[in-house]
């Protein structure tokens, strides 16, 4: 079992930055692929970025490439999402997810989820 707790969300003006953190506890964190999803009101939950357990492979959805960076510190059991040049369309609840099957696009690819953290970008 893995428990995930996100933090770092908040209100920021367009062009600003936030860093989300996801603290993991339970089983060996380093053996899980990790992802950040987001869900805006009335929309589906979509994958934003993901990283393999070995830190050899990352994925970014096109809309955040060059602005967001996913990273992980296996020693601290923590996943991060550095978000720069934020836009109003980045406004959503951001969720951390963990899975044993590598990076996947679908929600059901990941076995464990955090409770989410709200990110609001004002124009």
């Amino acid at each position: 079992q893995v428990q995930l707790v996100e933090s770092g969300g908040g209100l920021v003006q367009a062009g600003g930055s936030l860093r989300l953190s996801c603290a993991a506890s339970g089983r060996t964190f380093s053996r899980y692929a990790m992802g950040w999803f987001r869900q805006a009101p009335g929309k589906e939950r979509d994958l934003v970025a993901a990283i393999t357990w070995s830190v050899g492979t990352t994925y970014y959805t096109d809309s955040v490439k060059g602005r967001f960076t996913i990273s992980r510190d296996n020693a601290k059991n923590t996943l991060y999402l550095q978000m720069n040049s934020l836009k109003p369309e980045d406004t959503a609840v951001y969720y951390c997810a963990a899975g044993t099957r590598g990076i996947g696009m679908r929600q059901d690819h990941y076995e464990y989820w955090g409770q989410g953290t709200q990110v609001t970008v004002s124009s």
Side-chain angles (χ1 to χ4, degrees):
Q1 193 79 359
V2 174
Q3 293 79 43
L4 304 173
V5 179
E6 303 98 333
S7 61
L11 173 64
V12 64
Q13 289 188 333
S17 297
L18 284 174
R19 188 175 81 157
L20 305 183
S21 298
C22 173
S25 60
R27 290 188 173 179
T28 307
F29 172 77
S30 62
R31 293 295 179 179
Y32 288 80
M34 305 291 294
W36 287 100
F37 283 74
R38 67 184 178 188
Q39 187 169 21
K43 295 189 177 181
E44 294 190 353
R45 191 177 299 187
D46 294 323
L47 181 65
V48 175
I51 188 167
T52 59
W53 71 270
S54 65
V55 199
T57 303
T58 56
Y59 164 86
Y60 297 94
T61 193
D62 286 345
S63 62
V64 307
K65 286 180 181 177
R67 300 188 298 122
F68 291 11
T69 303
I70 190 170
S71 62
R72 64 192 295 167
D73 186 334
N74 288 339
K76 295 182 178 180
N77 286 357
T78 303
L79 177 74
Y80 302 100
L81 185 67
Q82 178 66 43
M83 305 186 294
N84 299 328
S85 303
L86 282 161
K87 304 176 181 180
E89 51 264 43
D90 294 318
T91 295
V93 177
Y94 284 70
Y95 297 90
C96 171
T100 57
R101 296 176 287 170
I103 291 176
M105 302 296 295
R106 295 168 54 90
Q107 293 183 56
D108 57 10
H109 188 81
Y110 298 85
E111 291 104 307
Y112 304 104
W113 291 84
Q115 82 289 349
T117 185
Q118 176 71 48
V119 171
T120 303
V121 184
S122 63
S123 57

